[in-house]
Amino acid sequence: MARRRANLALPARENRRAGRDEGPAERYQHGDIIRIEPTTRAGISCRRVMTQSMLDRYVARKQITQRQFDAGRRLYGLWRAAGGEQRVIAYYAVRVQGQTEMSDREAELRHRVTQLLRDMGALSGVLVHVCLCDSAARDWAVARGDAPQAGLAILRLALDGLADHWRL
């Protein structure tokens, strides 16, 4: 028996008729979780994609707890503040001199991240892969030669260890 395909263009057409632009019809094909939020203009709502990272996806699917999610996001924030991720958008201010060295704050934060990952031991690999590189825990497990299902279980243990470290 052939399954009928849903008309994915329907929500986009309805939004265009109502004067809202919420993206193309192809956007509704993806499995991202979208939350509808009101705006400051009466009768107008916007859609917000709630699954920007792997941690967002895991918590939306209830595969990790909110406590584990908070620990992972805190590690990512610490790593980003330490200069672990390059800026995508350049500064438009006048550049006085080139900065090739990291600031004292970045050096201190990088030391804290390194020390934290060292304290996590063997679990640090999955934390780096999922929280910092935004890859799936399954991919990390397969790359190590483990069963694909083991990746998420090991990630949960690692995030619990982080949450315990920060007393979340």
Side-chain angles (χ1 to χ4, degrees):
M1 176 184 227
R3 292 187 351 188
R4 293 182 60 178
R5 291 186 58 166
N7 187 356
L8 299 174
L10 185 63
R13 272 192 245 128
E14 289 174 1
N15 289 332
R16 277 195 293 276
R17 274 191 232 128
R20 296 185 298 244
D21 182 18
E22 295 180 352
E26 290 81 13
R27 181 70 183 118
Y28 296 99
Q29 291 177 343
H30 302 287
D32 294 334
I33 295 172
I34 299 173
R35 183 176 71 195
I36 299 174
E37 297 179 341
T39 60
T40 56
R41 295 174 49 192
I44 302 293
S45 61
C46 67
R47 294 178 184 257
R48 180 179 303 250
V49 177
M50 301 301 297
T51 52
Q52 296 289 330
S53 69
M54 286 308 297
L55 286 176
D56 292 331
R57 286 181 179 89
Y58 288 146
V59 78
R61 294 178 194 155
K62 300 195 183 323
Q63 292 176 324
I64 62 172
T65 64
Q66 186 65 40
R67 178 178 179 256
Q68 293 166 337
F69 172 77
D70 292 340
R73 293 303 293 176
R74 187 168 175 180
L75 175 64
Y76 175 75
L78 190 65
W79 176 74
R80 186 171 168 117
E85 188 172 88
Q86 297 296 321
R87 288 183 49 88
V88 176
I89 300 172
Y91 289 111
Y92 290 109
V94 177
R95 193 168 184 177
V96 178
Q97 66 183 20
Q99 182 180 0
T100 58
E101 296 180 7
M102 66 177 74
S103 67
D104 292 339
R105 180 175 182 269
E106 287 178 341
E108 178 187 343
L109 291 174
R110 184 164 291 188
H111 176 72
R112 284 176 55 193
V113 169
T114 304
Q115 186 64 39
L116 180 62
L117 292 174
R118 188 177 300 133
D119 291 345
M120 291 303 295
L123 298 176
S124 65
V126 71
L127 290 174
V128 169
H129 197 79
V130 175
C131 299
L132 307 184
C133 297
D134 197 32
S135 297
R138 179 185 192 282
D139 296 340
W140 174 81
V142 168
R144 287 191 56 206
D146 293 338
Q149 300 84 3
L152 193 58
I154 295 171
L155 175 65
R156 287 184 193 129
L157 289 173
L159 290 173
D160 278 334
L162 270 181
D164 291 343
H165 173 77
W166 281 317
R167 296 184 179 105
L168 296 178

